[in-house]
Amino acid sequence: MSLAGRSVTVKVPATTANLGPGFDTLGLALALYDELTVTVREQPGATVQVTGVGEGEVPTDESNLVVRAIAHAFAAYDQPMPGLDLVAHNVIPHGRGLGSSGAAIVSGIMAAKGLLDGIVDIDALGLLALATEMEGHPDNVAPCLFGGLTIAWVTEDGPQFKKLIVHRGVSPLVLVPQATMSTALARSLQPESVPHADAIFNVSRSTLLIAALIQSPELLLAATEDRLHQNYRAEAMPDTSRLIGLLREQGFPAVVSGAGPSILVLCSDPAQRLAAVELVESESAAPWKSLVLAVDFKGATVVTHPVEAA
């Protein structure tokens, strides 16, 4: 079946992973979206137009991460890769712990799902497997795909997930600095092993965090304590670490967003978000962008457009 003329539009949310103690396991989708339109053309290869974040910086040919994700999905299902025109409008900040690479990968895989509609059926676990193969771990791509709060784990049969609905009292705030952070660098600062007591500490806090996010937001400060990763990475992002310490001293459930350097504050009411923003503005000489966001409950979406008559 020829795909010529097929076109899809994909919308994917930003994500924040770890949420403090849930290292490489917990992720949350946020209502901040990249949008992508992909159209099949007769000529081979791919062209990419980017507006917004990454414009003039990211590749605009087949080496683009979104194009590579589309190609990965087509190859996984033994489908020939068609020529493509991509138009991307990006809003998710790059290199700041908000899942931009995961969003790009999910964009491509969802585009492939839409383009192959009626030819190949890619189910939820198939989507997660494809995304995890490219991203390396499922903590960002799971919430990006499915929305809400996700628990992700890996078995012999591949990555798995459970989606949970977040309590309506949870009010996320993301504080974004001008500086960026490499995920690879952040991971390189992790030790090979951690003390037994720290492992037990994080098990208790991560299980408490599930309860806090879906049922009891008043427990978020205690539930977001962590001993597995944030302290080890603190030297690479001193401003982030200092501000998180100040926020937590004042009762705000603040953590590193993903690999950083952005800060996630899981407030229990909207007024608390405003107070957190005021504290950071008063305590930091460098500018931080405040993103007052809702939790995204839908995850990635794809709309298939009718093929226009020749």
Side-chain angles (χ1 to χ4, degrees), residues 46 48 61-72 81 84 86:
V48 185
D61 56 14
E62 291 94 331
S63 66
N64 181 281
L65 182 56
V66 179
V67 179
R68 288 191 281 126
I70 296 172
H72 179 68
M81 179 71 168
L84 299 173
L86 286 75

Side-chain angles (χ1 to χ4, degrees), residues 34-269:
D34 284 353
E35 294 194 37
L36 170 75
T37 298
V38 182
T39 304
V40 177
R41 66 181 190 191
E42 296 290 351
Q43 302 88 351
T47 62
V48 185
Q49 297 178 47
V50 178
T51 60
V53 177
E55 183 176 356
E57 299 173 3
V58 300
T60 55
D61 56 14
E62 291 94 331
S63 66
N64 181 281
L65 182 56
V66 179
V67 179
R68 288 191 281 126
I70 296 172
H72 179 68
F74 269 75
Y77 287 87
D78 298 319
Q79 298 297 314
M81 179 71 168
L84 299 173
D85 289 322
L86 286 75
V87 178
H89 178 63
N90 297 336
V91 176
I92 301 170
H94 288 182
R96 290 178 175 84
L98 287 169
S100 59
S101 65
I105 289 166
V106 169
S107 291
I109 288 166
M110 290 297 290
K113 175 181 171 63
L115 293 172
L116 292 171
D117 184 45
I119 302 169
V120 172
D121 179 31
I122 310 177
D123 63 14
L125 287 180
L127 293 168
L128 182 60
L130 290 169
T132 303
E133 286 164 9
M134 291 196 69
E135 179 75 345
H137 38 91
D139 56 342
N140 276 112
V141 294
C144 188
L145 280 165
F146 309 118
L149 169 68
T150 57
I151 308 168
W153 67 100
V154 179
T155 71
E156 292 181 355
D157 297 323
Q160 310 289 320
F161 77 99
K162 174 63 179 177
K163 175 182 175 179
L164 299 170
I165 301 301
V166 176
H167 191 284
R168 63 184 181 181
V170 176
S171 302
L173 167 68
V174 180
L175 301 159
V176 184
Q178 292 181 319
T180 61
M181 167 63 74
S182 159
T183 301
L185 171 60
R187 287 186 170 273
S188 72
L189 300 173
Q190 289 294 128
E192 288 291 324
S193 60
V194 296
H196 187 258
D198 288 353
I200 294 172
F201 182 94
N202 267 61
V203 169
S204 71
R205 296 312 189 273
S206 58
T207 51
L208 179 62
L209 181 55
I210 299 295
L213 285 169
I214 68 174
Q215 182 177 322
S216 306
E218 71 275 6
L219 297 174
L220 279 167
L221 182 61
T224 49
E225 293 180 301
D226 160 70
R227 292 183 185 173
L228 281 192
H229 67 104
Q230 292 180 116
N231 290 342
Y232 298 110
R233 298 172 172 183
E235 65 186 66
M237 40 185 149
D239 287 347
T240 296
S241 181
R242 181 180 67 86
L243 288 172
I244 286 175
L246 289 171
L247 284 161
R248 295 191 66 86
E249 285 174 7
Q250 296 297 318
F252 298 101
V255 297
V256 177
S257 179
S262 294
I263 297 170
L264 170 69
V265 190
L266 289 168
C267 299
S268 55
D269 66 72

